[in-house]
Amino acid sequence: MLFDYNYFNFVLAELVGRIASDQLIIEDTLKPRPACKLSSKLIKSLSKRNKFNVDLLSQLVFIGREIDDFDIKTANLLEAIILAKSALQAVDIKLNTSRVKPLVDVIGEARVLSAIIRMTLDIIILDDLSISELEMSLRRRGDFVTLRIAAPKIATTASFTKDILEFIDKLIKNYGGSIKFVNSASQRLVFIRMRLSNQIPLLYNKKI
Amino acid sequence: MSQSVLIVEDDRLLAEVYQKSLRAEGIKSVVAYDFADAIARFKPSQHWLVVLDIMLADKNGFELLKSLRRQPGGNSFAVLVVSGMATNELSINKEVMVALNIIGVYTKSQFSIAQFVQLVKSRSRQM
């Protein structure tokens, strides 16, 4: 698997900086004579953000630690999704699988796919901490299966989100897949497109 | 004296923290979330300080600074760089800081809100 360690280090440094920065603010407000008086709502948001940033960090560290051992294999996408979403109990995630039955085997490694989906969910929530519900659906078309995640629309995308997205995109490309964020009129949509497992010979021959 | 601080920060939550902390000290501020937003909100006669993030979603913070400086009356404001990047990555030497009227370059993870408020407050007294 081709892995961009430089980019990985860049994203990791950025994320750790964000966690430390939020922590500094939270600590500032806890002092007996706080230099900044922030509302409890704002402090709660910072704490919530820290929680998701730490989750993102744990996924990144997992990928960085294990990446050299990953081969191109096949994985059940549905299992990877269920594993990823089960970790996010703060948000109600509805999953519609009616268009993909009975089997969704894709090119990829189950643990990496699960980490990728979890990171994607993390950044969607980090962009809008008020999210309480997300909808996911799977759709098979041709040799691809697409995981669609629908979230409320946000005004602008932060540079950090774009950096994480680029990292995820680099990871998925190793499996011949892609990720795309689209702002529709009323929603923010994320499409994770994966190749079905019958495409493995094609992927090996092309050396993506 | 001009009236307010322009906070250019794409992290909405952090921008809110900056704004509320300054408001508690009686310092008015306006927030811009990206390059285009900052260009639209910038008023040379009103902003005496620009708090500048470097990694913005659409363009680099230094490109923004260049554009703001080019505007009529755009050379009067001071700049406080607060970035997620480490200060050695930013590598701004003292001559450049003086030339661009940059009063400080800080990394977010090492720059507390208390320091931020104190710095802006002390600078506002000098204006």
Side-chain angles (χ1 to χ4, degrees), chain A residues 43-52 125 129-131:
Chain A
I43 297 165
K44 269 185 198 165
S45 297
L46 285 165
S47 303
K48 187 175 180 184
R49 181 159 86 166
N50 238 6
K51 198 175 126 190
F52 283 100
I125 296 164
L129 290 165
S130 64
I131 286 178

Side-chain angles (χ1 to χ4, degrees), chain A residues 150-183:
Chain A
K153 195 175 176 174
I154 56 158
T156 52
T157 303
S159 65
F160 174 68
T161 308
K162 288 185 174 172
D163 294 340
I164 295 283
L165 262 182
E166 199 176 322
F167 176 73
I168 293 174
D169 194 49
K170 281 172 189 280
L171 278 177
I172 297 185
K173 278 208 171 101
N174 281 293
Y175 300 135
S178 64
I179 184 167
K180 198 165 75 177
F181 265 52
V182 178
N183 254 338

Side-chain angles (χ1 to χ4, degrees), chain A residues 10 14 17-18 20-21 24-25 28 35-36 38 42 45-46 49 129 155-160 162, chain B residues 10-14 16-17 20-21 25 33-34 55-58 108-114 117:
Chain A
F10 164 72
E14 203 181 347
R18 284 169 71 90
S21 161
L24 256 184
I25 299 169
D28 258 0
C36 59
L38 301 175
L42 202 50
S45 297
L46 285 165
R49 181 159 86 166
L129 290 165
T156 52
T157 303
S159 65
F160 174 68
K162 288 185 174 172
Chain B
D10 70 340
D11 177 345
R12 287 173 176 262
L13 200 56
L14 191 55
E16 195 179 341
V17 169
K20 289 198 170 157
S21 306
E25 297 296 330
Y33 299 111
D34 54 31
M55 291 188 286
L56 299 171
D58 45 0
K108 285 173 188 169
S109 58
Q110 285 158 29
F111 188 51
S112 72
I113 291 298
V117 171

Side-chain angles (χ1 to χ4, degrees), chain A residues 106-175:
Chain A
V106 294
I107 297 172
E109 208 282 340
R111 292 174 301 165
V112 182
L113 280 182
S114 178
I116 285 170
I117 294 161
R118 197 156 142 190
M119 282 165 67
T120 308
L121 293 172
D122 281 336
I123 54 168
I124 291 170
I125 296 164
L126 282 165
D127 264 353
D128 180 1
L129 290 165
S130 64
I131 286 178
S132 58
E133 207 177 273
L134 284 171
E135 278 180 39
M136 291 168 102
S137 59
L138 278 168
R139 187 175 186 173
R140 185 178 164 171
R141 189 177 280 176
D143 294 323
F144 291 90
V145 60
T146 303
L147 170 63
R148 178 186 182 270
I149 307 169
K153 195 175 176 174
I154 56 158
T156 52
T157 303
S159 65
F160 174 68
T161 308
K162 288 185 174 172
D163 294 340
I164 295 283
L165 262 182
E166 199 176 322
F167 176 73
I168 293 174
D169 194 49
K170 281 172 189 280
L171 278 177
I172 297 185
K173 278 208 171 101
N174 281 293
Y175 300 135

Side-chain angles (χ1 to χ4, degrees), chain A residues 2 8 10-11 30 66 71-72 74 90 101-102 112 119 122 124 133 147 165 182 193:
Chain A
L2 296 169
F8 172 73
F10 164 72
V11 171
L30 296 174
E66 304 281 332
D71 294 323
I72 292 185
T74 63
K101 281 174 186 171
V112 182
M119 282 165 67
D122 281 336
I124 291 170
E133 207 177 273
L147 170 63
L165 262 182
V182 178
R193 194 166 178 250

Side-chain angles (χ1 to χ4, degrees), chain B residues 7-75:
Chain B
I7 299 166
V8 185
E9 175 57 71
D10 70 340
D11 177 345
R12 287 173 176 262
L13 200 56
L14 191 55
E16 195 179 341
V17 169
Y18 286 158
Q19 191 167 37
K20 289 198 170 157
S21 306
L22 293 180
R23 193 184 297 154
E25 297 296 330
I27 300 168
K28 286 183 191 169
S29 61
V30 175
V31 174
Y33 299 111
D34 54 31
F35 182 94
D37 199 14
I39 294 287
R41 288 175 191 273
F42 177 67
K43 305 265 185 310
S45 58
Q46 277 181 26
H47 300 123
W48 60 272
L49 176 69
V50 173
V51 176
L52 187 66
D53 185 16
I54 299 302
M55 291 188 286
L56 299 171
D58 45 0
K59 273 187 185 175
N60 181 301
F62 290 119
E63 288 176 65
L64 172 64
L65 182 55
K66 232 187 256 177
S67 299
L68 297 181
R69 287 281 186 231
R70 272 195 214 118
Q71 293 196 20
N75 49 10

Side-chain angles (χ1 to χ4, degrees), chain B residues 48-109:
Chain B
W48 60 272
L49 176 69
V50 173
V51 176
L52 187 66
D53 185 16
I54 299 302
M55 291 188 286
L56 299 171
D58 45 0
K59 273 187 185 175
N60 181 301
F62 290 119
E63 288 176 65
L64 172 64
L65 182 55
K66 232 187 256 177
S67 299
L68 297 181
R69 287 281 186 231
R70 272 195 214 118
Q71 293 196 20
N75 49 10
S76 58
F77 64 89
V79 180
L80 174 62
V81 176
V82 188
S83 172
M85 293 165 84
T87 44
N88 56 351
E89 277 181 284
L90 290 165
S91 65
I92 305 170
N93 64 41
K94 278 188 180 163
E95 287 79 16
V96 173
M97 282 179 68
V98 171
L100 294 173
N101 196 9
I102 296 174
I103 60 168
V105 179
Y106 296 92
T107 302
K108 285 173 188 169
S109 58

